[in-house]
Amino acid sequence: MRIHFKTSYEHDIRLFPDRWSFLVYALLIVVAVLLPWLIDDFFLGEVTNVLIWAIAGLGLMMLTGQTGQASLGHAAFLALGCYSCIIFMEQGLPFLIAFPAAGILTGIIGTIIAIPAIRLHGIYLAIATMALSILADDIIVLMEPITNGVSGKFAPVINIFGIEIERWGTPDRFYWLVLVVAIICTLIYRNILRSPLGRAFAAVRDSEVSATAMGIHISRTKAISFGISCAITGLAGALMGFFSGIVTNETFSIVISITLLMMIVIGGLGSIHGAFFGAVVVAFLPQFLSLAKETVIGGGVAIPGLETGVFGMILILFILFEPMGIYGRWMKIRIWFELFPFARKDMFKRQKSYLKTERLR
């Protein structure tokens, strides 16, 4: 007779919680692979944009959602990954080498930058990384011999084993490429979470004092998280460059950093699903606002700051009424149905007290 002891963290250790979840995700991947035959090129481009934003969101989620380190400078690492990949390909490296090399280079530079930055906490770390994002614009302009300055760089055509992939010429091939990268990044993210390193990230996020008491090296853990986060973000930046076709110093502004942070907060901090849900909001909300404006007041009228204002309003509403984001709301609804009729409203009451160790840092 086999006795199976279940633990509270068993679902977190296993790659999939159960067989049903595996079947659902497998079906979702099959639908995603068949998507180019189900929708036209315009909507396929929008879905591709969602996947690219989701990869960037996974990068920031690793640092902010899992390790608890706020960052407003990830636009700089998007730019670094983008320019690195394009420059590598211009020097003759094939895409299959240039693309991962750009991610590795971005991760290494991110780790080096993290060594002094991780000494800061909270809002001070956010301000320091925001300064990095602002400096990236000037650095791109000053390094004109390499980056072409304000003139920008054109993304070359991707060639994989003789198959040419271009965002405008072959949108279906480019979509499949982005889909493969998104799946690989998601699997890497998930496997990190169920490893001892992922547990260390969560411990640092919840309480640095408690993590230190458990023998976790705080500075090293933060630096590793920063490096992995920047590497994934660099891959997303490279794909953004190929998606837009041309990149300049204005492509990766501080607005992108703020949008990324808003995206993971709206989607749900600390969850893989949150990166994808937030990416859907970021990618499709501008299209929705454009259609709504044309319907209500006509297409010839411009409203400056409309998109930024709506984004800010949505963020405030989520912080006030649903801090766990879209994924958190979905989890509450699912748990309510699973426990019905025994579910109660107070089950999801927000905790307003803090650990004493958290107050002491």
Side-chain angles (χ1 to χ4, degrees):
M1 180 179 178
R2 284 184 70 183
I3 301 177
H4 179 60
F5 295 95
K6 291 186 177 181
T7 62
S8 59
Y9 51 84
E10 180 181 8
H11 289 341
D12 293 334
I13 293 177
R14 297 164 61 183
L15 185 60
F16 298 99
D18 48 49
R19 187 174 299 177
W20 172 252
S21 298
F22 171 76
L23 293 176
V24 170
Y25 289 122
L27 180 61
L28 184 62
I29 292 176
V30 171
V31 173
V33 171
L34 298 177
L35 207 58
W37 289 287
L38 303 176
I39 58 178
D40 58 21
D41 290 346
F42 172 77
F43 287 105
L44 186 63
E46 293 301 314
V47 175
T48 304
N49 190 30
V50 169
L51 291 176
I52 295 174
W53 275 103
I55 296 171
L58 287 174
L60 183 58
M61 190 75 77
M62 180 68 70
L63 182 65
T64 303
Q66 299 301 331
T67 320
Q69 308 302 305
S71 172
L72 286 173
H74 266 51
F77 301 110
L78 286 171
L80 179 59
C82 177
Y83 277 97
S84 299
C85 186
I86 293 177
I87 292 172
F88 287 155
M89 292 182 68
E90 288 178 346
Q91 298 301 316
L93 287 177
F95 174 79
L96 290 179
I97 297 178
F99 182 66
I104 293 172
L105 177 63
T106 307
I108 293 173
I109 294 179
T111 305
I112 295 173
I113 294 175
I115 293 174
I118 57 179
R119 298 178 181 274
L120 303 174
H121 298 278
I123 187 65
Y124 305 105
L125 177 61
I127 293 173
T129 53
M130 182 175 66
L132 178 65
S133 187
I134 296 173
L135 284 173
D137 190 346
D138 297 327
I139 293 173
I140 293 173
V141 175
L142 293 174
M143 297 181 66
E144 185 177 359
I146 301 175
T147 62
N148 283 350
V150 295
S151 299
K153 275 187 173 293
F154 289 93
V157 177
I158 300 173
N159 192 303
I160 301 178
F161 300 122
I163 301 175
E164 291 190 351
I165 302 175
E166 194 175 4
R167 186 260 186 270
W168 302 105
T170 55
D172 52 347
R173 295 177 184 175
F174 186 72
Y175 164 77
W176 283 322
L177 172 64
V178 175
L179 177 63
V180 170
V181 176
I183 293 174
I184 293 174
C185 289
T186 304
L187 288 175
I188 292 174
Y189 190 107
R190 176 59 181 158
N191 279 282
I192 289 176
L193 290 190
R194 62 198 193 104
S195 69
L197 180 61
R199 306 288 174 179
F201 289 164
V204 171
R205 175 194 63 197
D206 294 339
S207 174
E208 293 185 11
V209 173
S210 300
T212 304
M214 290 187 291
I216 296 173
H217 196 293
I218 302 297
S219 299
R220 184 192 305 155
T221 303
K222 287 183 179 180
I224 293 173
S225 175
F226 216 105
I228 297 174
S229 171
C230 292
I232 298 176
T233 305
L235 297 178
L239 293 175
M240 279 188 181
F242 289 109
F243 182 80
S244 61
I246 181 173
V247 290
T248 65
N249 61 306
E250 297 179 354
T251 303
F252 303 102
S253 63
I254 189 174
V255 177
I256 300 295
S257 294
I258 298 173
T259 303
L260 268 176
L261 187 59
M262 290 173 54
M263 184 183 77
I264 63 173
V265 172
I266 292 173
L269 274 175
S271 65
I272 296 175
H273 300 79
F276 286 88
F277 288 148
V280 171
V281 174
V282 168
F284 284 104
L285 185 61
Q287 304 295 337
F288 173 77
L289 291 178
S290 178
L291 292 175
K293 187 182 67 173
E294 291 180 4
T295 303
V296 176
I297 60 177
V301 180
I303 305 179
L306 175 64
E307 183 179 327
T308 306
V310 173
F311 267 122
M313 181 185 67
I314 292 175
L315 180 63
I316 292 173
L317 291 176
F318 268 97
I319 291 176
L320 291 176
F321 300 105
E322 189 47 83
M324 296 178 67
I326 297 174
Y327 182 66
R329 173 55 56 179
W330 157 247
M331 289 296 296
K332 291 178 181 179
I333 294 173
R334 193 180 74 175
I335 293 173
W336 191 89
F337 277 105
E338 288 178 351
L339 298 179
F340 183 83
F342 303 105
R344 294 293 181 267
K345 184 178 179 181
D346 289 342
M347 289 173 53
F348 308 112
K349 190 174 181 181
R350 291 180 61 185
Q351 180 181 353
K352 296 183 179 180
S353 61
Y354 299 92
L355 294 173
K356 184 177 180 180
T357 54
E358 186 65 19
R359 294 198 298 267
L360 295 174
R361 296 302 298 184

Coordinates of all heavy atoms in Angstrom, one line a residue, residues 98-162:
A98 N 23.1 35.6 -32.2 CA 23.0 37.0 -31.8 C 21.9 37.3 -30.8 O 22.1 38.0 -29.8 CB 22.8 37.9 -33.0
F99 N 20.8 36.6 -31.0 CA 19.6 36.8 -30.1 C 19.9 36.3 -28.7 O 19.7 37.2 -27.7 CB 18.4 36.0 -30.7 CG 17.1 36.2 -29.9 CD1 16.5 37.5 -29.8 CD2 16.6 35.1 -29.2 CE1 15.4 37.6 -29.0 CE2 15.4 35.3 -28.5 CZ 14.8 36.5 -28.4
P100 N 20.3 35.1 -28.4 CA 20.6 34.8 -27.0 C 21.8 35.5 -26.5 O 21.9 35.8 -25.3 CB 20.9 33.2 -27.1 CG 21.2 33.0 -28.5 CD 20.5 33.9 -29.3
A101 N 22.8 35.9 -27.3 CA 24.0 36.6 -26.9 C 23.5 38.0 -26.4 O 24.1 38.5 -25.4 CB 25.0 36.8 -28.0
A102 N 22.6 38.6 -27.0 CA 22.0 39.9 -26.6 C 21.4 39.8 -25.2 O 21.6 40.6 -24.3 CB 21.0 40.4 -27.6
G103 N 20.7 38.7 -25.0 CA 20.1 38.5 -23.7 C 21.1 38.2 -22.6 O 21.0 38.8 -21.5
I104 N 22.1 37.5 -22.9 CA 23.2 37.2 -21.9 C 24.0 38.5 -21.6 O 24.2 38.8 -20.4 CB 24.1 36.1 -22.5 CG1 23.4 34.8 -22.6 CG2 25.4 36.0 -21.6 CD1 24.2 33.7 -23.3
L105 N 24.3 39.3 -22.6 CA 25.0 40.5 -22.4 C 24.2 41.5 -21.5 O 24.7 42.1 -20.6 CB 25.3 41.2 -23.7 CG 26.0 42.6 -23.7 CD1 27.4 42.4 -23.0 CD2 26.1 43.2 -25.1
T106 N 22.9 41.6 -21.8 CA 22.0 42.4 -21.0 C 21.9 41.9 -19.6 O 22.0 42.7 -18.6 CB 20.6 42.4 -21.6 OG1 20.7 42.8 -23.0 CG2 19.7 43.4 -20.9
G107 N 21.9 40.6 -19.4 CA 21.9 40.1 -18.0 C 23.1 40.4 -17.3 O 23.1 40.7 -16.1
I108 N 24.3 40.3 -17.9 CA 25.6 40.5 -17.3 C 25.7 42.0 -16.9 O 26.1 42.3 -15.7 CB 26.7 40.1 -18.2 CG1 26.8 38.6 -18.4 CG2 28.1 40.6 -17.6 CD1 27.8 38.2 -19.4
I109 N 25.3 42.9 -17.8 CA 25.4 44.3 -17.5 C 24.4 44.7 -16.4 O 24.7 45.5 -15.5 CB 25.1 45.1 -18.8 CG1 26.3 44.9 -19.7 CG2 25.0 46.6 -18.4 CD1 26.1 45.7 -21.0
G110 N 23.2 44.0 -16.4 CA 22.2 44.3 -15.4 C 22.7 43.8 -14.0 O 22.5 44.5 -13.0
T111 N 23.4 42.7 -14.0 CA 24.0 42.2 -12.7 C 25.1 43.2 -12.2 O 25.1 43.5 -11.0 CB 24.6 40.8 -12.9 OG1 23.6 40.0 -13.4 CG2 25.1 40.3 -11.6
I112 N 25.9 43.7 -13.1 CA 26.9 44.7 -12.7 C 26.3 46.0 -12.1 O 26.7 46.5 -11.1 CB 27.8 45.0 -13.9 CG1 28.6 43.8 -14.3 CG2 28.8 46.2 -13.5 CD1 29.4 43.9 -15.6
I113 N 25.2 46.4 -12.8 CA 24.5 47.6 -12.3 C 23.8 47.3 -11.0 O 23.7 48.2 -10.1 CB 23.5 48.1 -13.4 CG1 24.3 48.6 -14.6 CG2 22.6 49.2 -12.8 CD1 23.4 49.0 -15.7
A114 N 23.4 46.1 -10.8 CA 22.6 45.8 -9.6 C 23.5 45.8 -8.3 O 23.0 46.0 -7.2 CB 22.0 44.4 -9.7
I115 N 24.8 45.6 -8.5 CA 25.7 45.5 -7.3 C 25.6 46.7 -6.4 O 25.4 46.6 -5.2 CB 27.2 45.2 -7.7 CG1 27.2 43.8 -8.4 CG2 28.1 45.3 -6.6 CD1 28.6 43.4 -9.0
P116 N 25.7 47.9 -7.0 CA 25.5 49.1 -6.1 C 24.0 49.4 -5.9 O 23.7 50.0 -4.8 CB 26.2 50.2 -6.9 CG 26.1 49.8 -8.3 CD 26.2 48.3 -8.3
A117 N 23.2 49.1 -6.9 CA 21.8 49.5 -6.8 C 21.0 48.8 -5.7 O 20.1 49.3 -5.1 CB 21.1 49.3 -8.1
I118 N 21.4 47.5 -5.4 CA 20.6 46.7 -4.5 C 20.8 47.1 -3.0 O 20.1 46.6 -2.1 CB 21.0 45.2 -4.6 CG1 22.5 45.0 -4.4 CG2 20.5 44.6 -5.9 CD1 22.9 43.5 -4.5
R119 N 21.7 48.1 -2.8 CA 21.9 48.6 -1.5 C 20.7 49.5 -1.1 O 20.6 49.9 0.1 CB 23.2 49.4 -1.3 CG 24.4 48.5 -1.6 CD 25.7 49.3 -1.5 NE 26.9 48.4 -1.8 CZ 27.5 47.7 -0.8 NH1 27.1 47.7 0.4 NH2 28.5 46.9 -1.2
L120 N 19.9 49.9 -2.1 CA 18.8 50.8 -1.9 C 17.5 49.9 -1.7 O 17.5 48.8 -2.2 CB 18.6 51.8 -3.1 CG 19.9 52.6 -3.4 CD1 19.6 53.5 -4.6 CD2 20.2 53.6 -2.2
H121 N 16.5 50.6 -1.1 CA 15.3 49.8 -0.9 C 14.1 50.7 -1.3 O 14.2 51.9 -1.3 CB 15.1 49.5 0.6 CG 16.1 48.6 1.1 ND1 16.1 47.2 1.0 CD2 17.3 48.9 1.9 CE1 17.1 46.7 1.6 NE2 17.9 47.6 2.1
G122 N 13.0 50.1 -1.7 CA 11.7 50.7 -2.0 C 11.8 51.8 -3.0 O 12.3 51.7 -4.1
I123 N 11.3 53.0 -2.6 CA 11.2 54.1 -3.5 C 12.6 54.6 -4.0 O 12.7 55.1 -5.1 CB 10.4 55.3 -2.8 CG1 10.1 56.4 -3.8 CG2 11.1 55.8 -1.6 CD1 9.2 56.0 -5.0
Y124 N 13.6 54.5 -3.1 CA 14.9 54.9 -3.5 C 15.5 54.1 -4.6 O 16.2 54.6 -5.5 CB 15.9 54.9 -2.2 CG 15.3 55.7 -1.1 CD1 14.7 55.0 0.0 CD2 15.3 57.1 -1.1 CE1 14.2 55.7 1.1 CE2 14.8 57.8 0.0 CZ 14.2 57.1 1.0 OH 13.7 57.9 2.1
L125 N 15.2 52.8 -4.6 CA 15.7 51.9 -5.7 C 14.9 52.2 -7.0 O 15.5 52.3 -8.0 CB 15.4 50.4 -5.3 CG 15.8 49.4 -6.4 CD1 17.2 49.5 -6.8 CD2 15.4 48.0 -5.9
A126 N 13.6 52.6 -6.8 CA 12.8 52.9 -8.0 C 13.4 54.2 -8.6 O 13.5 54.3 -9.9 CB 11.4 53.1 -7.6
I127 N 13.8 55.2 -7.8 CA 14.3 56.5 -8.3 C 15.6 56.2 -9.0 O 15.9 56.8 -10.1 CB 14.4 57.5 -7.2 CG1 13.0 57.9 -6.7 CG2 15.2 58.7 -7.6 CD1 13.1 58.8 -5.4
A128 N 16.5 55.4 -8.4 CA 17.8 55.1 -9.0 C 17.6 54.4 -10.4 O 18.3 54.8 -11.3 CB 18.6 54.2 -8.1
T129 N 16.7 53.4 -10.5 CA 16.5 52.8 -11.8 C 15.8 53.7 -12.8 O 16.1 53.6 -14.0 CB 15.7 51.5 -11.6 OG1 14.5 51.8 -10.9 CG2 16.4 50.5 -10.8
M130 N 15.0 54.6 -12.3 CA 14.4 55.6 -13.2 C 15.5 56.5 -13.8 O 15.4 56.9 -15.0 CB 13.4 56.4 -12.4 CG 12.6 57.4 -13.3 SD 11.3 58.3 -12.4 CE 12.2 59.2 -11.2
A131 N 16.4 56.9 -13.0 CA 17.6 57.7 -13.5 C 18.3 56.9 -14.6 O 18.7 57.5 -15.6 CB 18.5 58.1 -12.4
L132 N 18.4 55.6 -14.4 CA 19.1 54.8 -15.4 C 18.3 54.8 -16.7 O 18.9 54.9 -17.8 CB 19.2 53.3 -14.9 CG 19.8 52.3 -15.9 CD1 21.3 52.7 -16.1 CD2 19.7 50.9 -15.3
S133 N 17.0 54.8 -16.6 CA 16.2 54.8 -17.8 C 16.3 56.1 -18.6 O 16.3 56.2 -19.8 CB 14.7 54.5 -17.4 OG 13.9 54.4 -18.6
I134 N 16.4 57.2 -17.8 CA 16.6 58.5 -18.4 C 17.9 58.7 -19.1 O 18.1 59.2 -20.2 CB 16.3 59.6 -17.4 CG1 14.9 59.6 -16.8 CG2 16.7 61.0 -17.9 CD1 14.6 60.5 -15.7
L135 N 19.0 58.1 -18.4 CA 20.3 58.2 -18.9 C 20.5 57.4 -20.2 O 21.3 57.7 -21.1 CB 21.3 57.7 -17.9 CG 21.7 58.6 -16.8 CD1 22.5 57.9 -15.7 CD2 22.4 59.9 -17.3
A136 N 19.7 56.3 -20.4 CA 19.8 55.5 -21.6 C 19.5 56.2 -22.8 O 20.2 56.0 -23.9 CB 18.8 54.3 -21.4
D137 N 18.6 57.2 -22.8 CA 18.3 58.0 -23.9 C 19.5 58.8 -24.4 O 19.8 58.8 -25.6 CB 17.1 58.9 -23.6 CG 16.5 59.7 -24.8 OD1 17.2 59.7 -25.8 OD2 15.4 60.3 -24.7
D138 N 20.1 59.4 -23.4 CA 21.3 60.3 -23.7 C 22.5 59.4 -24.2 O 23.3 59.8 -25.1 CB 21.7 61.1 -22.5 CG 20.7 62.1 -22.1 OD1 20.0 62.6 -23.0 OD2 20.5 62.4 -20.9
I139 N 22.6 58.2 -23.6 CA 23.7 57.3 -24.0 C 23.6 56.9 -25.4 O 24.6 56.8 -26.2 CB 23.8 56.1 -23.0 CG1 24.2 56.6 -21.6 CG2 24.8 55.1 -23.5 CD1 24.1 55.5 -20.6
I140 N 22.4 56.6 -25.8 CA 22.1 56.2 -27.2 C 22.5 57.3 -28.2 O 23.1 57.0 -29.2 CB 20.7 55.8 -27.4 CG1 20.4 54.5 -26.6 CG2 20.4 55.5 -28.9 CD1 18.9 54.1 -26.6
V141 N 22.2 58.5 -27.8 CA 22.6 59.6 -28.7 C 24.1 59.9 -28.7 O 24.7 60.1 -29.8 CB 21.8 60.9 -28.2 CG1 22.3 62.1 -29.0 CG2 20.3 60.7 -28.3
L142 N 24.7 59.8 -27.5 CA 26.2 60.0 -27.5 C 27.0 58.9 -28.2 O 28.1 59.2 -28.7 CB 26.6 60.1 -26.0 CG 26.1 61.3 -25.2 CD1 26.4 61.2 -23.7 CD2 26.6 62.6 -25.8
M143 N 26.5 57.7 -28.2 CA 27.2 56.6 -28.9 C 26.7 56.5 -30.4 O 26.5 55.4 -30.9 CB 26.9 55.3 -28.1 CG 27.4 55.3 -26.7 SD 27.1 53.7 -25.9 CE 28.2 52.6 -26.8
E144 N 26.7 57.6 -31.0 CA 26.2 57.7 -32.4 C 27.0 56.8 -33.4 O 26.4 56.2 -34.3 CB 26.2 59.1 -32.9 CG 25.5 59.3 -34.3 CD 25.5 60.7 -34.7 OE1 25.9 61.6 -34.0 OE2 25.0 61.0 -35.9
P145 N 28.3 56.7 -33.2 CA 29.0 55.8 -34.2 C 28.5 54.3 -34.1 O 28.7 53.6 -35.1 CB 30.5 55.9 -33.7 CG 30.6 57.3 -33.0 CD 29.2 57.4 -32.4
I146 N 28.0 53.9 -33.0 CA 27.5 52.6 -32.8 C 26.0 52.4 -33.0 O 25.5 51.5 -33.6 CB 27.9 52.0 -31.4 CG1 29.5 52.1 -31.3 CG2 27.4 50.6 -31.3 CD1 30.0 51.6 -29.9
T147 N 25.3 53.4 -32.5 CA 23.8 53.3 -32.4 C 23.1 54.1 -33.5 O 21.9 54.1 -33.6 CB 23.3 53.8 -31.1 OG1 23.7 55.1 -30.9 CG2 23.9 52.9 -29.9
N148 N 23.9 55.0 -34.3 CA 23.3 55.9 -35.3 C 22.5 57.0 -34.6 O 21.8 57.7 -35.3 CB 22.5 55.1 -36.3 CG 23.3 54.4 -37.3 OD1 24.5 54.6 -37.4 ND2 22.7 53.6 -38.1
G149 N 22.6 57.2 -33.3 CA 22.0 58.3 -32.6 C 20.5 58.4 -32.9 O 19.8 57.5 -32.8
V150 N 20.1 59.7 -33.2 CA 18.7 60.0 -33.4 C 18.2 59.4 -34.7 O 17.0 59.3 -35.0 CB 18.5 61.5 -33.4 CG1 18.7 62.1 -32.0 CG2 19.3 62.2 -34.4
S151 N 19.1 59.1 -35.7 CA 18.7 58.5 -36.9 C 18.2 57.0 -36.7 O 17.4 56.6 -37.5 CB 19.9 58.5 -37.9 OG 20.3 59.8 -38.2
G152 N 18.7 56.4 -35.8 CA 18.2 55.0 -35.4 C 18.8 53.9 -36.3 O 19.6 54.2 -37.2
K153 N 18.4 52.7 -36.0 CA 18.9 51.6 -36.7 C 17.7 50.8 -37.3 O 16.7 50.7 -36.6 CB 19.7 50.7 -35.8 CG 21.2 51.0 -35.7 CD 22.0 50.0 -34.9 CE 23.5 50.3 -35.0 NZ 24.0 50.2 -36.3
F154 N 17.9 50.2 -38.5 CA 16.9 49.4 -39.1 C 17.2 47.9 -38.7 O 18.3 47.5 -38.7 CB 16.9 49.5 -40.6 CG 16.3 50.8 -41.1 CD1 17.1 51.9 -41.3 CD2 14.9 51.0 -41.3 CE1 16.6 53.1 -41.8 CE2 14.4 52.2 -41.7 CZ 15.3 53.3 -41.9
A155 N 16.1 47.2 -38.3 CA 16.3 45.8 -37.9 C 16.5 45.0 -39.1 O 15.7 45.1 -40.1 CB 15.0 45.3 -37.2
P156 N 17.5 44.2 -39.2 CA 17.8 43.3 -40.3 C 16.8 42.2 -40.4 O 16.0 41.9 -39.5 CB 19.2 42.8 -40.1 CG 19.3 42.8 -38.6 CD 18.5 44.0 -38.1
V157 N 16.7 41.5 -41.6 CA 15.8 40.4 -41.8 C 16.4 39.2 -41.0 O 17.6 38.9 -41.1 CB 15.7 40.1 -43.3 CG1 14.8 38.8 -43.5 CG2 15.1 41.3 -44.0
I158 N 15.5 38.5 -40.3 CA 15.9 37.3 -39.5 C 16.0 36.1 -40.5 O 15.1 35.9 -41.3 CB 14.9 37.0 -38.4 CG1 14.9 38.2 -37.4 CG2 15.3 35.7 -37.7 CD1 13.8 38.0 -36.4
N159 N 17.1 35.4 -40.4 CA 17.3 34.2 -41.3 C 17.7 33.0 -40.4 O 18.7 33.0 -39.7 CB 18.4 34.5 -42.3 CG 18.5 33.4 -43.4 OD1 18.6 32.2 -43.1 ND2 18.4 33.8 -44.6
I160 N 16.8 32.0 -40.4 CA 17.1 30.8 -39.6 C 17.1 29.6 -40.5 O 16.0 29.3 -41.1 CB 16.0 30.7 -38.5 CG1 16.0 31.9 -37.5 CG2 16.2 29.4 -37.7 CD1 14.9 31.8 -36.5
F161 N 18.2 29.0 -40.7 CA 18.4 27.9 -41.6 C 17.8 28.1 -43.0 O 17.1 27.3 -43.5 CB 17.7 26.6 -40.9 CG 18.3 26.3 -39.6 CD1 17.5 26.2 -38.5 CD2 19.7 26.0 -39.4 CE1 18.0 25.8 -37.2 CE2 20.2 25.7 -38.2 CZ 19.4 25.6 -37.1
G162 N 18.1 29.3 -43.5 CA 17.6 29.7 -44.8 C 16.2 30.2 -44.9 O 15.7 30.6 -46.0

